[in-house]
Structures are given as C-alpha cells and as structure tokens.
Amino acid sequence: MKIKHFTLFATLLFVVEAIFAQIPAGYYNTATGTGAALKTQLYNIIKGHTSVSYDQLWTSYYTTDRKADGKIWDIYTDNCVFTYSSSQCGNYNNVCDCYNREHSFPKSWFNDASPMVSDIFHIYPTDGKVNGMRSNFPYGNVAASGTAWGNGKLGACVFPGYSGTVFEPSNEYKGDLARTYFYMATRYENVIAGWENNDANGDAMLDGNSYPCFEPWALALLISWHELDPVSQKEIDRNNAIYSSVQHNRNPYIDHPEWVSAVWRAPVAVTSVVVNSAGDVTSIATPAGTLQMSATVAPANATNQNVTWLTIPGTGSANITNTGLLTAVTNGDVTVKATANDGSGVFGTKIITISNQVVSVDSYQNSSNISFYPNPVENTLTIDMSATSSLPSLVWISDVTGKIIFQTAPTASKLDIDMTNVNKGIYFLNLNSAQNKITYKLVR
C-alpha cells in the first residue's frame, strides 16, 4: 500500500509540475530589442524574483536538482551517488563524500551580498571536495596537464586572453554554466558594474560595467561554451522548477538561447573598403599586377578585431594576403570578400568585385541579420530573414549524419517549419547564398 500511495503521489507531482513546464504566456512580450537594450528589457522582466534564504536551498534542491532516480544532480562530478538530504555536507575528505551549495558565480565576487548570495539559478549542488578545490577561481579552459577533480580540471588557463588559474568543468555542463553567467549579468545589471574590484579572480572575468559586463576573453569563452553545449532537458526542467516553486523568475537564455547572440554578439561590420586607385586596376590582369585594399571596421573598439580577405569560389583565381594585397589574377574577373572577425565569430563582410577592370563594393548580409526561434525547437521553427537585403538561395535542415530532413528555396522573408514529427536530437540549420553558407545548431 505504501508503494501504491507513493506511486500515486509521484504521478500527481508529475502532473502538477507538467502544468508549469512552459514559458508563461506573454512573459517575454517586452523583449524586443538587441544588444544592451534587449539585456535591459530582460532585466526588467526577471528582476522582481522572490528571494529565498540560503538555508532554504537545501529544501529547494528536492524540486530543482533531483535526477529521475531521486539522486541529487552534481554538475562537477556527475558520477557520485548523492542521496537528497542525507548526503549533505558536513565534513568531507574525498570526492563523493557529500554535496554542498556551490556559488558557481563566487560570492566573494559580489561581497556575499543579497539577493545574489541565495539566488538558486547560480547555486548548484556539487561535490564538497571539488567545490573546495574550485575555490573562487574563474572558469576557463585548462591544458591536458591540469589537475583533475571529479570531471573537472584545475590549472593554468589556455583560452586566449587569460593565463591565470581557472577551473574547467566537463563539456556536458559548460553551456549550463555559461547561460548561468549570462543570467547573472542580466538579473544584476543594476549592480554588477561595482563588482569588478571585490576580488582578484572576479576582476579577471568582470569588466567593471553593466554591458557587456565581462572581459573580452571571458565573453568569448562563455559564448563558445554556450555554443558547444546547447540547452538540455535538465536545464529546461530546472528553469521551470525555479520559476514555479522557488523564485518565480526565469533564465531567459534557457528559454531563448538565441538571445545570447542577440545581446552579446553585436555585429562587427566592414563598413568601407578602399582601393588604392582606379588607375591601378588595369595591372591586375597580369601576374605581376597588384591591387592594394584596406577596410574600415565598426565599432572602432571591436574586441580583437581583424580583417581577412578571401576569394569567392567560382570567380577568377588570385593570390591574396591578409593585409589586402591582391596579386596575380590569372583567370579573368575576381571577387574577394573582406571579413571582420572579433575573435569569436564572423560578423560582417563586404564583397569587392573586379570585373572588366572596374572595382565595385557591395554589402553582404551577415548572420546577425537572420533570427530563428525557438531553440530548442518545440513544434514549429520560425526563421526570420526580414532584415536581410536578399533571401538565401536555399535553406535546409540536416541531422548529425548529414541527412537532409527539410529543404526549400525561400520566397518569403519568414519561414515556419513544422518540426512536430522530427525526432529529438541535434540538427543543423543551413542557409546558402552565392557568396556564403551559414550554419546554426538546432536542438529538438
């Protein structure tokens, strides 16, 4: 009888939780901008959360961080068997002794202040020993020689831009933690600018402002982790549980992963291209001919900005250097592309066509002009290309084996794709034009 009663209770609990397992209607209606404006809009949506006590988190974990088998979910080891309540730290000597409450965004970075100190979105149950070894070091990528703790590593950072000591979690949870940091930067945008000097390790990641909040290397790292590890069902379930039973706010970057790019990946664009002089164009047809090109990039303070020059496939062949020196056109007309890159992704380009000894420069739309949602996909995937000057010639979705499950030549600026009968998994959205191919990762 006890088993039957427990089964009935578990079933009812599942039904109650399922009622809340979705984004509330209209919750994000005011989130319409991009960049810093969108971040502020999201702040205004999620800032009024219910603050619980730090002690209350032990109880909240029963709802937010239990696995299907009833054990506690530890994202630092993921192989220890922790029983809710009875495995709480306490003292520990070894990995898997007990679990405690880990401020993934260390509390010393914000001087233990409330409500951050008990915000469950960034406070995960983790192995006590590994938590202690992580200390308040930043997250980062560690060389293979780093010291292993649980499924993570501690050692010198090998991600470009920082070489101090960092902790690297397993790949499976890097996206979880990146989206947690984006949540913290958004929920506390009114105070985060003052945290930079509270702690040296915090200073390594924080930039002393409300936008973009993070040092350039840290922002590039978090974006790369976000893209490496898409939103999982675990994150969705935790987000729903926190909203329904703990804080009554949400992490928008779990609900809308595309907003990471919309907020923090403001396009770096090639705004102009200069050719040394029209008179030199005639010499380009000979192997000895040269044509010097330069590009202006915006914004002027774009992080690690650089411009590379590429020939477009299918046009005349040429040798080209990254300084914009075009030489030895050997097969008629040639088209080259100036590409601006901020160190973490391609954001903008311009096309330079040398045809019949005439140089022309045309804007080329970049990936920031295309949006798609939701991701993870529920029943319908919407692709919005209304900000582009011309539509892609082909749009298709493929699975991880390369099998195409959807394909179309778009004739309208918005596509609604029915994904109801598509199996759960990882897919790739591809958009193709004459000059470029853009690929996005999708989660179904």
Side-chain angles (χ1 to χ4, degrees):
M1 291 296 292
K2 288 183 178 179
I3 293 176
K4 289 182 180 179
H5 284 310
F6 177 78
T7 302
L8 177 60
F9 172 76
T11 301
L12 289 172
L13 179 62
F14 174 79
V15 171
V16 171
E17 289 179 342
I19 293 173
F20 293 101
Q22 56 185 343
I23 304 170
Y27 189 77
Y28 292 116
N29 278 359
T30 57
T32 59
T34 59
L38 174 57
K39 179 170 168 287
T40 298
Q41 291 165 348
L42 295 174
Y43 161 71
N44 286 324
I45 292 170
I46 67 176
K47 67 180 180 180
H49 80 260
T50 300
S51 181
V52 299
S53 70
Y54 187 53
D55 286 342
Q56 174 64 32
L57 300 186
W58 288 124
T59 303
S60 298
Y61 287 155
Y62 182 83
T63 305
T64 61
D65 290 87
R66 268 191 317 134
K67 296 184 179 181
D69 61 4
K71 305 302 181 183
I72 287 294
W73 211 307
D74 167 21
I75 64 173
Y76 279 178
T77 62
D78 204 26
N79 53 12
C80 298
V81 180
F82 292 135
T83 302
Y84 172 76
S85 185
S86 63
S87 296
Q88 292 174 5
C89 297
N91 296 321
Y92 54 82
N93 294 306
N94 302 301
V95 176
C96 292
D97 279 352
C98 59
Y99 72 91
N100 59 11
R101 296 159 295 181
E102 157 71 324
H103 290 83
S104 62
F105 198 103
K107 60 183 181 178
S108 61
W109 294 10
F110 50 78
N111 277 341
D112 292 39
S114 294
M116 294 78 71
V117 74
S118 62
D119 189 328
I120 195 171
F121 269 113
H122 80 108
I123 305 173
Y124 293 89
T126 62
D127 179 88
K129 181 68 173 179
V130 182
N131 184 353
M133 298 312 299
R134 185 260 165 135
S135 185
N136 67 350
F137 292 116
Y139 290 129
N141 290 347
V142 179
S145 58
T147 303
W149 293 99
N151 286 340
K153 291 184 294 184
L154 188 70
C157 184
V158 295
F159 193 86
Y162 187 67
S163 58
T165 300
V166 295
F167 180 81
E168 180 179 3
S170 66
N171 288 343
E172 184 176 358
Y173 300 109
K174 285 179 176 176
D176 303 49
L177 293 167
R179 287 178 284 274
T180 295
Y181 271 47
F182 290 132
Y183 164 86
M184 292 294 287
T186 302
R187 168 59 188 88
Y188 300 106
E189 82 160 24
N190 60 321
V191 291
I192 193 171
W195 297 352
E196 182 184 28
N197 296 320
N198 291 336
D199 181 274
N201 287 317
D203 186 20
M205 289 200 82
L206 301 177
D207 203 23
N209 51 49
S210 61
Y211 182 84
C213 304
F214 301 105
E215 292 284 354
W217 77 270
L219 181 57
L221 172 86
L222 294 172
I223 290 174
S224 70
W225 283 12
H226 163 72
E227 294 176 344
L228 167 73
D229 173 34
V231 173
S232 65
Q233 190 62 47
K234 171 197 181 298
E235 285 182 272
I236 294 171
D237 293 344
R238 190 174 195 266
N239 195 25
N240 288 327
I242 292 173
Y243 174 78
S244 63
S245 63
V246 186
Q247 294 188 173
H248 312 299
N249 70 335
R250 306 181 68 84
N251 183 338
Y253 306 104
I254 295 174
D255 290 331
H256 287 277
E258 72 276 10
W259 282 344
V260 171
S261 289
V263 171
W264 274 281
R265 266 191 159 174
V268 176
V270 179
T271 57
S272 65
V273 175
V274 178
V275 179
N276 59 344
S277 72
D280 290 336
V281 176
T282 55
S283 66
I284 202 67
T286 66
T290 61
L291 185 65
Q292 183 68 48
M293 298 173 291
S294 62
T296 302
V297 177
N301 62 346
T303 305
N304 299 323
Q305 70 178 29
N306 59 75
V307 176
T308 58
W309 299 84
L310 304 170
T311 56
I312 301 299
T315 66
S317 60
N319 297 325
I320 189 167
T321 70
N322 282 348
T323 59
L325 184 65
L326 183 66
T327 65
V329 176
T330 59
N331 190 24
D333 301 340
V334 63
T335 303
V336 295
K337 178 172 66 173
T339 299
N341 188 318
D342 80 337
S344 62
V346 173
F347 298 102
T349 61
K350 276 190 180 288
I351 301 299
I352 304 95
T353 301
I354 302 170
S355 177
N356 297 323
Q357 300 180 358
V358 176
V359 177
S360 62
V361 179
D362 299 305
S363 296
Y364 177 70
Q365 296 296 338
N366 58 73
S367 60
S368 67
N369 292 317
I370 296 173
S371 62
F372 59 97
Y373 51 87
N375 191 19
V377 182
E378 296 172 359
N379 296 321
T380 302
L381 173 68
T382 298
I383 305 173
D384 188 349
M385 301 167 285
S386 57
T388 63
S389 61
S390 59
L391 296 177
S393 58
L394 190 65
V395 173
W396 74 98
I397 298 174
S398 57
D399 62 18
V400 293
T401 69
K403 179 182 177 181
I404 296 176
I405 64 169
F406 172 85
Q407 180 173 299
T408 186
T411 58
S413 61
K414 184 172 286 188
L415 287 176
D416 290 319
I417 303 171
D418 184 6
M419 302 284 283
T420 305
N421 296 321
V422 177
N423 294 329
K424 300 288 187 180
I426 303 297
Y427 296 88
F428 298 97
L429 170 63
N430 305 276
L431 301 100
N432 202 58
S433 72
Q435 288 85 19
N436 202 10
K437 173 187 172 184
I438 303 168
T439 300
Y440 302 96
K441 184 180 291 183
L442 290 176
V443 180
R444 170 72 173 99

